[in-house]
Amino acid sequence: IGATSGISVSDSFEVLTDITFNYHRVKLIGRESELAEPKDINYNLQNFSVSALLHYKFLELDDFCFGINSGPIATFIYGYDTKDTNEKYTIDPLGIESQYMHFDSYNGKGLSFNAFVAVGLSAQYENFMVNIRYNKGITDPYRKVPVYSPYMELKGKDNYWSFVVTYFFWDWY
C-alpha cells in the first residue's frame, strides 16, 4: 500500500517515485525448545520503502504501454515478527530466539535503513500499471543482529521478487 508520483522526462522516459508499506510473509524453521522437533513458523517482515525508478516505455499500442524500469529503493524498519504468540521459539540453524528477530531496529539505536536496486518490467492500460520487479539487496540487513550465533555468521543480503499494482488518479503520461 502506498503512493506513487511520476514525472515525464520525455515521450519515452519518466521517473516514478513512491512511498510504500511492504508486507512479506516468510516461513522459518524453529523449535519450542532445544529437544523439540523442528517445525515451520510463520513470520511477517514489514517495512516502509521509498523508491525512485527510471521507467522507459519501449512499446505503446493504443491504450497499452509496456516498459522496463530500474532504480534505487531505500527501506526503513527491518525485523521479523512471528504470527504465533509464542515468542520462545529458537530459529534453526541460527540458534537465536524469536524475540531477537527484529534485527537492527531491536536495539533502539536509530532508524533502520537498507538499500536495494530494482529492475523490472511493466505493463500499463490507461491508468492501471502492473510491475514485476527483482529487488537486489545492497546493504546487509542483519548487520546489527543483537545476538551471537555459535553456528554461523549472521550476515547476508536479501533479494526478492515483487508484484506491484498501481492506479494513477490522473493522466500524467
Side-chain angles (χ1 to χ4, degrees):
I1 298 175
T4 300
S5 176
I7 300 169
S8 184
V9 178
S10 71
D11 289 342
S12 298
F13 284 99
E14 50 208 16
V15 176
L16 301 174
T17 58
D18 61 25
I19 298 172
T20 58
F21 172 75
N22 305 296
Y23 181 88
H24 308 267
R25 293 184 315 182
V26 179
K27 284 189 178 185
L28 299 175
I29 298 172
R31 304 167 187 262
E32 291 185 32
S33 68
E34 280 190 40
L35 301 176
E37 288 293 317
K39 67 178 188 174
D40 287 343
I41 305 168
N42 293 318
Y43 280 87
N44 299 324
L45 170 59
Q46 300 174 10
N47 58 33
F48 289 95
S49 66
V50 177
S51 67
L53 302 174
L54 182 61
H55 183 248
Y56 171 69
K57 296 186 267 186
F58 62 83
L59 180 61
E60 292 186 54
L61 304 168
D62 297 324
D63 292 335
F64 287 96
C65 175
F66 299 92
I68 58 174
N69 50 63
S70 179
I73 298 175
T75 63
F76 304 94
I77 304 171
Y78 207 89
Y80 294 89
D81 289 317
T82 180
K83 293 179 178 182
D84 195 334
T85 58
N86 187 352
E87 286 281 333
K88 301 282 185 188
Y89 288 120
T90 300
I91 305 303
D92 284 346
L94 304 176
I96 63 173
E97 292 181 16
S98 291
Q99 64 187 358
Y100 299 114
M101 296 295 288
H102 296 282
F103 297 134
D104 53 356
S105 57
Y106 178 82
N107 58 19
K109 294 181 181 176
L111 185 63
S112 169
F113 169 80
N114 291 290
F116 296 85
V117 172
V119 176
L121 296 172
S122 67
Q124 183 172 347
Y125 175 73
E126 294 182 352
N127 286 15
F128 280 98
M129 179 187 280
V130 294
N131 279 290
I132 185 162
R133 296 181 193 151
Y134 180 71
N135 301 278
K136 171 104 174 103
I138 297 173
T139 58
D140 177 5
Y142 313 104
R143 65 190 175 275
K144 296 181 185 176
V145 174
V147 296
Y148 167 77
S149 173
Y151 306 109
M152 63 189 299
E153 188 175 2
L154 299 174
K155 70 177 190 174
K157 295 180 181 169
D158 287 350
N159 305 313
Y160 62 94
W161 288 92
S162 60
F163 180 74
V164 180
V165 178
T166 306
Y167 178 78
F168 298 102
F169 288 100
W170 58 87
D171 293 333
W172 58 273
Y173 55 91

Short mmCIF file of all heavy atoms in Angstrom, two decimals, residues 43-46 77-82 87 96-108 112 114 141-142 144-146:
data_model
loop_
_atom_site.label_atom_id
_atom_site.label_comp_id
_atom_site.label_asym_id
_atom_site.label_seq_id
_atom_site.Cartn_x
_atom_site.Cartn_y
_atom_site.Cartn_z
N TYR A 43 6.28 -15.95 9.88
CA TYR A 43 6.78 -14.63 10.26
C TYR A 43 6.28 -13.59 9.26
O TYR A 43 5.98 -13.91 8.11
CB TYR A 43 8.31 -14.60 10.27
CG TYR A 43 8.91 -15.19 11.50
CD1 TYR A 43 9.17 -16.55 11.58
CD2 TYR A 43 9.20 -14.40 12.60
CE1 TYR A 43 9.72 -17.10 12.71
CE2 TYR A 43 9.75 -14.95 13.74
CZ TYR A 43 10.00 -16.30 13.79
OH TYR A 43 10.53 -16.83 14.92
N ASN A 44 6.25 -12.36 9.70
CA ASN A 44 5.96 -11.21 8.84
C ASN A 44 7.18 -10.30 8.85
O ASN A 44 7.73 -10.03 9.91
CB ASN A 44 4.78 -10.39 9.38
CG ASN A 44 3.51 -11.18 9.45
OD1 ASN A 44 3.25 -12.02 8.60
ND2 ASN A 44 2.72 -10.94 10.47
N LEU A 45 7.57 -9.85 7.68
CA LEU A 45 8.57 -8.80 7.58
C LEU A 45 7.82 -7.58 7.05
O LEU A 45 7.25 -7.62 5.96
CB LEU A 45 9.69 -9.18 6.62
CG LEU A 45 10.66 -8.07 6.24
CD1 LEU A 45 11.35 -7.49 7.47
CD2 LEU A 45 11.67 -8.56 5.23
N GLN A 46 7.79 -6.52 7.85
CA GLN A 46 7.09 -5.31 7.45
C GLN A 46 8.09 -4.16 7.42
O GLN A 46 8.92 -4.04 8.32
CB GLN A 46 5.97 -5.00 8.44
CG GLN A 46 4.95 -6.10 8.53
CD GLN A 46 3.91 -5.85 9.61
OE1 GLN A 46 3.84 -4.79 10.19
NE2 GLN A 46 3.12 -6.87 9.90
N ILE A 77 12.95 0.35 8.81
CA ILE A 77 12.40 -0.60 9.78
C ILE A 77 12.52 -2.00 9.17
O ILE A 77 12.00 -2.27 8.09
CB ILE A 77 10.93 -0.30 10.16
CG1 ILE A 77 10.82 1.11 10.69
CG2 ILE A 77 10.44 -1.30 11.18
CD1 ILE A 77 9.38 1.57 10.91
N TYR A 78 13.25 -2.87 9.82
CA TYR A 78 13.50 -4.20 9.27
C TYR A 78 13.54 -5.20 10.41
O TYR A 78 14.46 -5.21 11.21
CB TYR A 78 14.85 -4.20 8.54
CG TYR A 78 14.95 -5.21 7.44
CD1 TYR A 78 14.55 -4.88 6.16
CD2 TYR A 78 15.44 -6.48 7.67
CE1 TYR A 78 14.63 -5.78 5.12
CE2 TYR A 78 15.53 -7.40 6.64
CZ TYR A 78 15.13 -7.04 5.37
OH TYR A 78 15.22 -7.95 4.34
N GLY A 79 12.54 -6.01 10.50
CA GLY A 79 12.52 -7.03 11.53
C GLY A 79 11.38 -7.99 11.30
O GLY A 79 10.36 -7.63 10.73
N TYR A 80 11.57 -9.21 11.73
CA TYR A 80 10.57 -10.26 11.55
C TYR A 80 9.76 -10.40 12.84
O TYR A 80 10.32 -10.52 13.92
CB TYR A 80 11.25 -11.59 11.24
CG TYR A 80 11.96 -11.59 9.92
CD1 TYR A 80 13.28 -11.19 9.80
CD2 TYR A 80 11.30 -12.00 8.77
CE1 TYR A 80 13.93 -11.21 8.58
CE2 TYR A 80 11.94 -12.02 7.55
CZ TYR A 80 13.26 -11.62 7.47
OH TYR A 80 13.88 -11.64 6.25
N ASP A 81 8.45 -10.41 12.69
CA ASP A 81 7.54 -10.66 13.81
C ASP A 81 6.84 -11.97 13.56
O ASP A 81 6.37 -12.23 12.46
CB ASP A 81 6.49 -9.55 13.93
CG ASP A 81 7.08 -8.24 14.40
OD1 ASP A 81 7.89 -8.28 15.33
OD2 ASP A 81 6.73 -7.19 13.83
N THR A 82 6.73 -12.79 14.61
CA THR A 82 6.04 -14.05 14.46
C THR A 82 4.54 -13.83 14.56
O THR A 82 4.08 -12.96 15.28
CB THR A 82 6.51 -15.07 15.51
OG1 THR A 82 5.80 -16.28 15.31
CG2 THR A 82 6.28 -14.59 16.92
N GLU A 87 6.73 -16.43 21.67
CA GLU A 87 7.97 -15.76 21.29
C GLU A 87 9.20 -16.54 21.74
O GLU A 87 10.30 -16.06 21.66
CB GLU A 87 8.01 -14.35 21.91
CG GLU A 87 7.09 -13.36 21.24
CD GLU A 87 7.65 -12.80 19.95
OE1 GLU A 87 8.87 -12.74 19.79
OE2 GLU A 87 6.84 -12.41 19.09
N ILE A 96 19.02 -18.66 17.61
CA ILE A 96 18.61 -17.45 18.33
C ILE A 96 17.10 -17.49 18.56
O ILE A 96 16.37 -18.12 17.82
CB ILE A 96 19.01 -16.15 17.59
CG1 ILE A 96 18.31 -16.03 16.23
CG2 ILE A 96 20.51 -16.07 17.41
CD1 ILE A 96 18.54 -14.72 15.54
N GLU A 97 16.66 -16.79 19.59
CA GLU A 97 15.24 -16.76 19.94
C GLU A 97 14.48 -15.78 19.05
O GLU A 97 15.04 -14.79 18.58
CB GLU A 97 15.07 -16.37 21.41
CG GLU A 97 15.58 -17.44 22.36
CD GLU A 97 15.38 -17.05 23.82
OE1 GLU A 97 14.58 -16.14 24.11
OE2 GLU A 97 16.03 -17.69 24.66
N SER A 98 13.19 -16.04 18.87
CA SER A 98 12.33 -15.22 18.02
C SER A 98 12.32 -13.75 18.42
O SER A 98 12.24 -12.88 17.57
CB SER A 98 10.89 -15.73 18.07
OG SER A 98 10.79 -16.96 17.43
N GLN A 99 12.42 -13.48 19.70
CA GLN A 99 12.34 -12.10 20.16
C GLN A 99 13.47 -11.23 19.61
O GLN A 99 13.38 -10.02 19.58
CB GLN A 99 12.32 -12.04 21.67
CG GLN A 99 13.60 -12.55 22.32
CD GLN A 99 13.48 -12.63 23.82
OE1 GLN A 99 12.46 -12.27 24.38
NE2 GLN A 99 14.53 -13.10 24.47
N TYR A 100 14.56 -11.85 19.17
CA TYR A 100 15.70 -11.11 18.63
C TYR A 100 15.65 -10.96 17.12
O TYR A 100 16.60 -10.47 16.51
CB TYR A 100 17.01 -11.76 19.04
CG TYR A 100 17.19 -11.80 20.53
CD1 TYR A 100 17.20 -13.01 21.22
CD2 TYR A 100 17.33 -10.63 21.27
CE1 TYR A 100 17.35 -13.05 22.59
CE2 TYR A 100 17.48 -10.65 22.64
CZ TYR A 100 17.49 -11.87 23.29
OH TYR A 100 17.63 -11.90 24.65
N MET A 101 14.56 -11.36 16.49
CA MET A 101 14.46 -11.29 15.04
C MET A 101 14.10 -9.90 14.53
O MET A 101 13.83 -9.71 13.35
CB MET A 101 13.43 -12.31 14.53
CG MET A 101 13.82 -13.76 14.80
SD MET A 101 15.28 -14.28 13.91
CE MET A 101 14.62 -14.38 12.26
N HIS A 102 14.10 -8.91 15.40
CA HIS A 102 13.81 -7.53 14.98
C HIS A 102 15.05 -6.86 14.42
O HIS A 102 15.01 -5.72 13.99
CB HIS A 102 13.23 -6.73 16.14
CG HIS A 102 11.91 -7.25 16.60
ND1 HIS A 102 10.75 -7.01 15.93
CD2 HIS A 102 11.59 -8.04 17.64
CE1 HIS A 102 9.76 -7.62 16.54
NE2 HIS A 102 10.24 -8.26 17.58
N PHE A 103 16.17 -7.54 14.44
CA PHE A 103 17.44 -7.12 13.86
C PHE A 103 17.82 -5.71 14.23
O PHE A 103 17.87 -5.37 15.40
CB PHE A 103 17.43 -7.33 12.35
CG PHE A 103 17.29 -8.77 11.97
CD1 PHE A 103 16.42 -9.15 10.98
CD2 PHE A 103 18.01 -9.74 12.62
CE1 PHE A 103 16.28 -10.49 10.64
CE2 PHE A 103 17.88 -11.08 12.29
CZ PHE A 103 17.01 -11.44 11.30
N ASP A 104 18.10 -4.87 13.23
CA ASP A 104 18.71 -3.59 13.56
C ASP A 104 17.74 -2.59 14.16
O ASP A 104 18.15 -1.53 14.58
CB ASP A 104 19.45 -2.99 12.37
CG ASP A 104 18.61 -2.90 11.12
OD1 ASP A 104 17.47 -3.37 11.12
OD2 ASP A 104 19.10 -2.36 10.13
N SER A 105 16.46 -2.89 14.25
CA SER A 105 15.55 -2.00 14.96
C SER A 105 15.34 -2.46 16.40
O SER A 105 14.74 -1.77 17.20
CB SER A 105 14.21 -1.90 14.23
OG SER A 105 13.63 -3.16 14.09
N TYR A 106 15.87 -3.64 16.76
CA TYR A 106 15.66 -4.20 18.10
C TYR A 106 16.37 -3.38 19.18
O TYR A 106 15.83 -3.12 20.24
CB TYR A 106 16.16 -5.64 18.16
CG TYR A 106 16.02 -6.26 19.52
CD1 TYR A 106 14.80 -6.79 19.94
CD2 TYR A 106 17.08 -6.31 20.41
CE1 TYR A 106 14.65 -7.34 21.18
CE2 TYR A 106 16.94 -6.87 21.65
CZ TYR A 106 15.73 -7.38 22.05
OH TYR A 106 15.59 -7.93 23.27
N ASN A 107 17.60 -2.95 18.89
CA ASN A 107 18.39 -2.31 19.93
C ASN A 107 18.02 -0.84 20.16
O ASN A 107 18.59 -0.20 21.02
CB ASN A 107 19.89 -2.45 19.63
CG ASN A 107 20.26 -1.86 18.30
OD1 ASN A 107 19.52 -1.05 17.74
ND2 ASN A 107 21.41 -2.24 17.78
N GLY A 108 17.09 -0.29 19.39
CA GLY A 108 16.61 1.06 19.61
C GLY A 108 17.61 2.16 19.27
O GLY A 108 17.44 3.30 19.68
N SER A 112 16.20 2.00 11.29
CA SER A 112 16.80 1.00 10.42
C SER A 112 16.79 1.50 8.98
O SER A 112 15.82 2.08 8.52
CB SER A 112 15.99 -0.28 10.55
OG SER A 112 16.35 -1.19 9.57
N ASN A 114 18.01 0.16 4.92
CA ASN A 114 18.58 -0.82 4.00
C ASN A 114 18.32 -0.36 2.57
O ASN A 114 17.34 0.33 2.30
CB ASN A 114 17.98 -2.20 4.23
CG ASN A 114 18.42 -2.76 5.56
OD1 ASN A 114 19.57 -3.11 5.73
ND2 ASN A 114 17.51 -2.81 6.52
N PRO A 141 21.01 -6.37 5.98
CA PRO A 141 20.01 -6.05 7.00
C PRO A 141 20.27 -6.72 8.34
O PRO A 141 19.67 -6.37 9.33
CB PRO A 141 18.70 -6.54 6.39
CG PRO A 141 19.09 -7.55 5.39
CD PRO A 141 20.46 -7.18 4.90
N TYR A 142 21.21 -7.66 8.38
CA TYR A 142 21.50 -8.40 9.61
C TYR A 142 22.72 -7.86 10.33
O TYR A 142 23.20 -8.47 11.27
CB TYR A 142 21.69 -9.88 9.26
CG TYR A 142 20.60 -10.39 8.36
CD1 TYR A 142 20.84 -10.60 7.00
CD2 TYR A 142 19.32 -10.61 8.85
CE1 TYR A 142 19.81 -11.03 6.17
CE2 TYR A 142 18.30 -11.04 8.02
CZ TYR A 142 18.56 -11.25 6.68
OH TYR A 142 17.55 -11.67 5.86
N LYS A 144 23.20 -5.55 12.45
CA LYS A 144 23.05 -5.17 13.86
C LYS A 144 22.27 -6.20 14.66
O LYS A 144 21.62 -5.85 15.64
CB LYS A 144 22.36 -3.82 13.96
CG LYS A 144 23.14 -2.67 13.37
CD LYS A 144 22.38 -1.38 13.55
CE LYS A 144 23.03 -0.23 12.88
NZ LYS A 144 22.23 0.99 12.99
N VAL A 145 22.33 -7.47 14.25
CA VAL A 145 21.62 -8.51 14.99
C VAL A 145 22.12 -8.49 16.43
O VAL A 145 23.33 -8.51 16.66
CB VAL A 145 21.84 -9.89 14.35
CG1 VAL A 145 21.23 -10.98 15.19
CG2 VAL A 145 21.25 -9.92 12.96
N PRO A 146 21.22 -8.42 17.41
CA PRO A 146 21.65 -8.23 18.80
C PRO A 146 22.11 -9.50 19.51
O PRO A 146 22.23 -9.50 20.72
CB PRO A 146 20.38 -7.68 19.46
CG PRO A 146 19.27 -8.26 18.67
CD PRO A 146 19.77 -8.34 17.26
#
